[in-house]
Amino acid sequence: MTPSTSTVESPTAHLAYTADEDDLRSGLRDLLTDRVALPALLARIETTEPYDPKLWRVLAEQIGVTGLAIAEEHGGSGATWRETALVMEELGRAVAPTPFLGSAVLATAALGHCGAHDLLTELAGGHRTATLAVSFATAPGTQPPYDVRADTDDTLTGTVTSVVDAGSADLIVVAATTPQGPTLYTVDPTHEGVHRQSVTSLDLTRPLTDLTLTAAPGRPIARGDAAEAAVAAAITTGAALLASEQLGLAEYCLESTVAYLKTRNQFGRPVGSFQGPKHRLAALWVSITQARAVARYAAACVAVDDPDTAVAVAVAQAHCSDIAVHAAEECVQLHGGIGFTWEHHAHLYLKRAKADALAFGTPDRHRAALAELVDLAP
Amino acid sequence: MTAAQLDERVTAFLAAHPDTSDEIGYLRARFDAGLAWVHYPVGLGGLDAPRSSQRAVDARFVAAGAPTNDPGRIGIGLGMAAPTVLAYGTAEQRARWLRPLWTGEEVWCQLFSEPGAGSDLAALGTRAVRDGDAWVVDGQKVWTSMAHEARWAILVTRTHPDLPKHRGMTYFVCDMTAPGVEVRPLRQATGEAEFNEVFLTGVRIPDAHRLGEIGDGWSVARTTLMNERVAIGGASEPREGGMIGIVADTWRAHPELRTAGLHDRLLRLWVEAEAARLTTERLRLQLAAGDPGPEGSGAKLTYARLNQEISGLELDLLAEQGLRHDEWTMRRPASVDFTTRSPGYRYLRAKGNSIEGGTSEILLNVIAERVLGLPPEPRVDKDTAWKDLPR
């Protein structure tokens, strides 16, 4: 992957995909089509190992997805959040069971922001994974509750609920309060002071964990404003890139529904020849062209830390959340009876879509944030 | 031709033409220098340059304060007639029509839709009958903008009523000053008449003004319509640049009008308008790269819906003020301007957005069939002679 050459252009200059990005996409799609088969996915989601470690290794080693947003001198490939967003798109399309969001997005953004380069190097190759200990529902711009406190010897005590990708993480980034203000730590989750309770997640392909720390030793990586800024940057980046995941999953819902309605016959005609379903699918296609533009713009903004990032992320999350949920709901409905069965993929996408809409703030919260950002207060 | 070479040509042209007082003369010279539409062939206003370089060339002429051909006034000529003349015209036809079209000396209009052929354009019934080296045309066309100012029209006629509808049409260029052409204003719900009805009675069109083969009018018309959909372009729109900006400003200026329900609608539409803007921006980048993609038909659908919803919200927000209209005077505007008239005008005019240039229902069919590849509607009239179709 060639490093991005431009950081001075307006983010709107990056709304279209580059040839490098097209190559990355086609490699990923081939691999995911090959490796994420529905029967295996269905079998896996009800086990204690919902994530596929083999898939993760191949993604990391063959395609190098884990180090895209990490500089070359720290073991990454020196690309940007835009390329990382493209990976989110493809993983979302496949509802692929991987800890990419927690490790290659949230933890990578937080560690990168505080310059913890030794830890980034560990994540870049994908041999270890990490996550950031915040509730998956935390919206950008809101202060995380900091329910964890640190003692003077840097041991941590407290609980963080509904953390994404913590169950399989080798390293957890935890924000804690100290008498000197907020501090960001890394914690080894295998330490006896760390208890990870897996939660029954609405999204079967993305497990959540409640994390309880009891005098768990932490390694401080940032203190005060730097710690707060790192957490805020990670949540903003996560929200921005989640829009790309929503785009990818909406697109697959549309494509799989179109494919089915071309072959499903009722009343002596393909169901897809009736104007009712056709118009709904065409309208969904139009929505998805918009989801691509706003998701892409949000990724381009975080990639260069553009001043418009907050607006871009609120727009992308408000818009893509609704579109992805709508796409998944249309997928269920237009498939008819088969779309409501456990054997069919539709419910996995519906669960992912609805959970994604709640993650990093609901569309309503994003619109409320936007009202302040663009001077349209109630 | 590279962008740098093109830029040198513009520099040389600007240096050689410091006097801009003769506007038509200036535009003719720009056309003859190949700097009109640079992707057109040499000798026809272009330099066979990539279409994507046009924006930079236009920007230089704007920056130099050069005379403009007022593209808003001659949009049908530039966007629809010219590409069709280029694709199907003979050498004589191209040489006769393209230069005055581009300079704006001759305005063009489009005689396609008829009272009985709207969405189903291929059902049109305006007859053209051969008479020696000319054709005699009788019929009625409708929704014709600029017909009252046009010198020329692109016209689709029925020449073979015994054939199925798509196979029996022939395409002409019609002289709007010819005897038998009568243009009447068609007043709309807004009170204005942007459009016209055009009655054609025994109009003689020389065969030399035919575009394409006899009976092949549908292929020619499709070229025209395809270019209508590609005609999105021009300058980028800033955030809040469209109708949403007007409503947002009203919201900011009038706290006393605000309610929770209106706030929710405003924010939803603000997000949608921004998404539509970014989608169009993306489309523009793809067009500049020569890869238009199918997003264009989606953009029209979106703008029609948003204009209607936003203008409806504006009236609700204004409450009592929304009850009061500016005027119903019958006017003949040359182009649609959403910004200078009252909110009631915007609300009413936006209703046309989902009808003109392809109804939203037809565009959804087009996307479903051409983009998504879904099976077509059953077409019961496909193999029936046009004269036997119910109407």
Side-chain angles (χ1 to χ4, degrees):
Chain A
M1 167 107 359
T2 33
S4 168
T5 49
S6 165
T7 52
V8 290
E9 281 176 300
S10 157
T12 48
H14 296 289
L15 289 171
Y17 298 105
T18 64
D20 278 351
E21 286 173 311
D22 289 339
D23 289 346
L24 174 62
R25 182 199 301 288
S26 94
L28 261 172
R29 190 169 297 184
D30 289 349
L31 188 145
L32 290 166
T33 308
D34 204 30
R35 299 267 176 165
V36 190
L38 183 64
L41 186 58
L42 283 168
R44 177 173 288 284
I45 52 178
E46 290 185 281
T47 68
T48 53
E49 195 180 58
Y51 282 166
D52 180 352
K54 277 192 209 141
L55 172 65
W56 181 252
R57 265 199 303 282
V58 176
L59 283 169
E61 286 163 16
Q62 274 186 20
I63 316 239
V65 299
T66 45
L68 284 173
I70 299 173
E72 278 173 297
E73 67 256 43
H74 306 306
S77 49
T80 73
W81 290 119
R82 286 198 305 277
E83 290 80 359
T84 315
L86 191 135
V87 177
M88 287 286 283
E89 227 183 277
E90 291 302 309
L91 293 175
R93 197 186 151 85
V95 287
T98 74
F100 188 82
L101 175 60
S103 192
V105 180
L106 289 176
T108 297
L111 295 172
H113 204 270
C114 17
H117 299 307
D118 55 329
L119 297 171
L120 281 180
T121 305
E122 292 181 23
L123 299 188
H127 306 298
R128 305 187 74 205
T129 70
T131 194
L132 175 69
V134 291
S135 160
F136 197 27
T138 312
T142 58
Q143 194 67 251
Y146 290 117
D147 289 330
V148 177
R149 64 181 166 75
D151 282 329
T152 46
D153 62 350
D154 287 327
T155 60
L156 311 182
T157 300
T159 300
V160 188
T161 53
S162 308
V163 178
V164 74
D165 295 342
S168 55
D170 304 299
L171 181 82
I172 299 182
V173 182
V174 182
T177 55
T178 73
Q180 290 77 42
T183 301
L184 204 57
Y185 291 93
T186 57
V187 170
D188 172 4
T190 60
H191 189 274
E192 59 181 10
V194 179
H195 178 66
R196 289 185 280 185
Q197 178 66 51
S198 70
V199 176
T200 305
S201 173
L202 173 67
D203 178 3
L204 279 159
T205 53
R206 176 167 279 149
L208 297 175
T209 302
D210 287 348
L211 194 66
T212 305
L213 307 174
T214 314
R219 172 190 153 189
I221 53 170
R223 294 191 189 272
D225 291 347
E228 282 193 356
V231 174
I235 293 168
T236 297
T237 307
L241 269 60
L242 192 70
S244 287
E245 175 175 301
Q246 292 166 320
L247 163 64
L249 83 88
E251 203 174 29
Y252 186 74
C253 287
L254 173 65
E255 284 176 22
S256 62
T257 308
V258 166
Y260 179 67
L261 294 198
K262 284 179 188 173
T263 56
R264 167 80 174 167
N265 286 295
Q266 292 284 278
F267 304 100
R269 290 162 59 178
V271 174
S273 71
F274 288 94
Q275 212 167 34
K278 269 164 98 167
H279 281 193
R280 285 167 68 163
L281 290 168
L284 180 58
W285 177 85
V286 176
S287 298
I288 289 172
T289 63
Q290 297 173 348
R292 173 164 289 111
V294 296
R296 189 77 188 158
Y297 182 63
C301 280
V302 291
V304 297
D305 195 17
D306 191 85
D308 201 32
T309 298
V311 171
V313 171
V315 167
Q317 272 297 296
H319 208 51
C320 293
S321 295
D322 285 342
I323 289 169
V325 169
H326 178 60
E329 289 173 349
E330 292 289 74
C331 180
V332 172
Q333 174 65 24
L334 293 173
H335 272 85
I338 190 89
F340 191 59
T341 62
W342 190 266
E343 289 74 24
H344 196 268
H345 66 261
H347 71 102
L348 297 178
Y349 285 80
L350 180 65
K351 289 160 188 172
R352 172 65 71 87
K354 194 65 191 175
D356 278 0
L358 310 180
F360 299 128
T362 59
D364 268 314
R365 285 186 187 279
H366 287 289
R367 284 190 289 268
L370 200 56
E372 300 299 326
L373 290 167
V374 302
D375 186 25
L376 291 172
Chain B
M1 172 153 312
T2 67
Q5 290 169 321
L6 205 48
D7 198 58
E8 279 171 31
R9 295 251 187 153
V10 179
T11 305
F13 182 89
L14 291 172
H17 298 82
D19 179 12
T20 60
S21 54
D22 172 14
E23 296 204 351
I24 293 296
Y26 188 94
L27 290 167
R28 286 176 180 167
R30 180 175 162 187
F31 185 95
D32 295 339
L35 296 169
W37 33 34
V38 295
H39 61 289
Y40 271 52
V42 173
L44 293 173
L47 292 165
D48 291 306
R51 192 185 184 123
S52 54
S53 32
Q54 185 69 39
R55 277 175 83 175
V57 171
D58 288 342
R60 293 238 19 223
F61 279 98
V62 170
T68 164
N69 60 357
D70 192 4
R73 182 170 155 272
I74 56 172
I76 293 164
L78 293 174
M80 302 177 77
T84 313
V85 169
L86 182 67
Y88 285 93
T90 61
E92 294 76 25
Q93 290 173 330
R94 291 160 154 203
R96 165 62 187 87
W97 284 318
L98 288 176
R99 190 166 89 153
L101 183 159
W102 186 84
T103 59
E105 290 164 82
E106 291 180 346
V107 174
W108 287 63
C109 68
Q110 179 202 17
L111 298 175
F112 278 27
S113 293
E114 297 180 3
S119 291
D120 184 11
L121 178 64
L124 60 87
T126 292
R127 291 278 281 122
V129 178
R130 186 77 187 240
D131 180 23
D133 61 357
W135 297 77
V136 179
V137 178
D138 287 277
Q140 183 189 349
K141 296 287 180 176
V142 78
W143 304 123
T144 314
S145 41
M146 300 303 282
H148 54 297
E149 298 198 22
R151 174 67 172 77
W152 299 102
I154 42 178
L155 166 70
V156 197
T157 65
R158 175 77 41 201
T159 42
H160 301 77
D162 294 334
L163 292 176
K165 61 179 186 178
H166 288 102
R167 287 192 262 145
M169 286 177 273
T170 302
Y171 195 117
F172 295 99
V173 171
C174 175
D175 181 348
M176 291 297 285
T177 64
V181 176
E182 187 197 350
V183 178
R184 297 183 198 161
L186 186 64
R187 203 172 178 198
Q188 305 146 223
T190 55
E192 299 182 336
E194 290 165 49
F195 307 120
N196 302 278
E197 300 177 284
V198 177
F199 293 84
L200 304 165
T201 312
V203 179
R204 288 186 73 82
I205 299 180
D207 189 55
H209 289 186
R210 172 164 50 80
L211 281 182
E213 297 302 315
I214 295 169
D216 198 30
W218 186 243
S219 305
V220 188
R222 279 174 64 105
T223 300
T224 306
L225 296 171
M226 227 103 80
N227 278 286
E228 180 177 35
R229 297 205 176 101
V230 175
I232 294 181
S236 299
E237 193 181 78
R239 179 172 289 162
E240 288 192 13
M243 223 188 262
I244 192 71
I246 300 174
V247 188
D249 288 342
T250 305
W251 181 271
R252 290 175 187 125
H254 294 281
E256 76 281 4
L257 297 174
R258 300 174 190 174
T259 70
L262 289 169
H263 190 243
D264 185 54
R265 282 167 65 193
L266 174 65
L267 263 298
R268 284 175 188 272
L269 289 170
W270 196 96
V271 168
E272 287 209 62
E274 174 67 2
R277 183 183 78 86
L278 290 168
T279 307
T280 305
E281 203 59 42
R282 221 181 97 77
L283 179 65
R284 200 168 275 131
L285 287 176
Q286 288 174 300
L287 271 176
D291 171 24
E295 273 94 341
S297 37
K300 184 192 176 282
L301 269 170
T302 302
Y303 278 111
R305 185 174 54 79
L306 285 181
N307 281 348
Q308 293 172 356
E309 292 187 16
I310 294 168
S311 58
L313 170 68
E314 188 184 11
L315 284 178
D316 290 345
L317 174 62
L318 289 168
E320 184 189 340
Q321 207 55 39
L323 291 169
R324 304 159 72 97
H325 195 56
D326 55 355
E327 55 171 331
W328 295 112
T329 315
M330 153 78 182
R331 305 195 227 186
R332 309 229 60 192
S335 58
V336 180
D337 186 353
F338 273 122
T339 56
T340 56
R341 291 285 309 272
S342 73
Y345 170 82
R346 285 191 274 282
Y347 174 74
L348 293 167
R349 183 59 187 82
K351 294 295 171 239
N353 291 162
S354 53
I355 300 168
E356 59 202 350
T359 66
S360 291
E361 288 72 18
I362 290 291
L363 287 181
L364 287 170
N365 279 356
V366 167
I367 291 169
E369 293 174 18
R370 298 206 198 136
V371 179
L372 300 179
L374 285 165
E377 293 289 304
R379 295 201 164 115
V380 294
D381 58 354
K382 197 160 57 84
D383 299 314
T384 309
W386 175 84
K387 66 180 171 51
D388 298 328
L389 293 177
R391 62 175 65 82

